[in-house]
Amino acid sequence: MNECYYDKRMDFFYNRTKADTADEWTGPQLIGVLCFGTFFCLFIFISNSLVIAAVVKNKRFHFPFYYLLANLAAADFFAGIAYVFLMFNTGPVSKTLTVNRWFLRQGLLDTSLTASLVNLLVIAVERHMSIMRMKIHSNLTKKRVTFLIISIWAIAIFMGAVPTLGWNCLCDITVCSSLAPIYSRSYLVFWSVLNLVVFFIMVVVYIRIYMYVQRKTNVLSSHTSGSISRRRTPVKLMKTVMTVLGAFVVCWTPGLVVLLLDGLNCTDCGIQDVKRWFLLLALLNSVMNPIIYSYKDDEMWATMKRMICCSSEDKSQERRSSRIPSTVLCRSTDISGHYIEDGIIQGTICGKGALGDKGNS
């Protein structure tokens, strides 16, 4: 029977696998890393809180897609918490951790990243359902959206807890990973391949959406004169899709490949030299997400600016609205009419915030 090492500290596993715990990151270098990480964590907390508040405050966002968008922001907010915990439990401190505390550190990271990724997949499917049915929003009820959000977090928590539940190498240290000294290499292969497959599915879904909208746009433009904005719709969609997929590829793929190589026991790949940088790159996705979908969704950006500028601007807008209610009503009607007129195209435009999401987790 194999001996189990639940009572050992992490220095036992790090020394055995000869894993670098960044002992050289001390002094000014360590302070620089902590300052850098603190700045980005604060940005993650503030920006994603604004996104969640915007969805709650603006009634135009009370639709399934925006509820999922708010949940994506919550996942990124959680990623910030996981990164804060990591900052104070990494480097030289790593060797002093107990097994349970190390599992907690990695479990928080795995949970946050899985929540972002699964949420992005659900958003992609929701946008696919809406656009294929030529609707602005899907027919998902609030109960179904709530169920989806609960399911997303249930899957994320489960994936984060799998190593703790038994898929580890504490009772068979011959299969221990180099990057994650108490994770089994087979689990790293499973986790990285699973995430890469989900990423591939997302690429296929968004390509299908783009091709469908482009085909519909060409059909409509052959029967109508079309406006300039209508002609530019496929280009805008392509830019949005490329932004989402490009951000995801840049932030996630390198880290997943490194984990896969470690799981395959590649000893000559130099993974120890790049591990921390690829981790930071993956976590930067939580910084980029609110920037991407606020930039691509004008209404979201306007709502966030109103919340930032708060009191004086809101009061002046209310006074102007009370003086010219007919103008506001006319504008609202024009917007609605534009959505109805454009059919499938405006469904895509309205959903561009979804495509601008992700990239995500």
Side-chain angles (χ1 to χ4, degrees), residues 13-20 178 272:
F13 300 97
Y14 277 115
N15 292 334
R16 187 185 179 281
T17 59
K18 298 180 181 179
D20 176 23
S178 174
Q272 290 290 341

Side-chain angles (χ1 to χ4, degrees), residues 14 24 41 75-76 136 172 180 212 246 267 276 286 289 337:
Y14 277 115
E24 73 278 7
C41 284
D76 290 327
I136 299 175
D172 187 7
Y212 180 81
T267 56
R276 66 179 66 89
S286 297
N289 283 340

Side-chain angles (χ1 to χ4, degrees), residues 160-216:
V162 165
T164 310
L165 297 175
W167 200 345
N168 55 59
C169 63
L170 292 176
C171 294
D172 187 7
I173 58 177
T174 61
V175 297
C176 285
S177 159
S178 174
L179 293 179
I182 56 177
Y183 274 15
S184 172
R185 289 196 299 270
S186 60
Y187 174 74
L188 289 187
V189 172
F190 164 77
W191 196 85
S192 56
V193 170
L194 177 64
N195 282 276
L196 288 171
V197 169
V198 173
F199 167 68
F200 175 76
I201 293 173
M202 289 175 55
V203 172
V204 172
V205 170
Y206 280 125
I207 290 177
R208 179 176 169 82
I209 291 174
Y210 169 72
M211 294 178 64
Y212 180 81
V213 172
Q214 188 178 46
R215 186 171 62 251
K216 285 294 182 180

Side-chain angles (χ1 to χ4, degrees), residues 307-323:
M307 289 190 298
I308 294 174
C309 299
C310 246
S311 55
S312 60
E313 184 176 342
D314 284 345
K315 291 179 180 179
S316 63
Q317 286 180 352
E318 289 176 3
R319 287 195 294 268
R320 288 198 299 269
S321 298
S322 63
R323 295 193 194 103

Side-chain angles (χ1 to χ4, degrees), residues 124-139:
V125 174
E126 191 273 344
R127 285 293 87 194
H128 185 273
M129 291 170 55
S130 302
I131 293 176
M132 292 300 170
R133 295 176 182 177
M134 301 178 67
K135 293 182 178 180
I136 299 175
H137 296 288
S138 64
N139 292 328

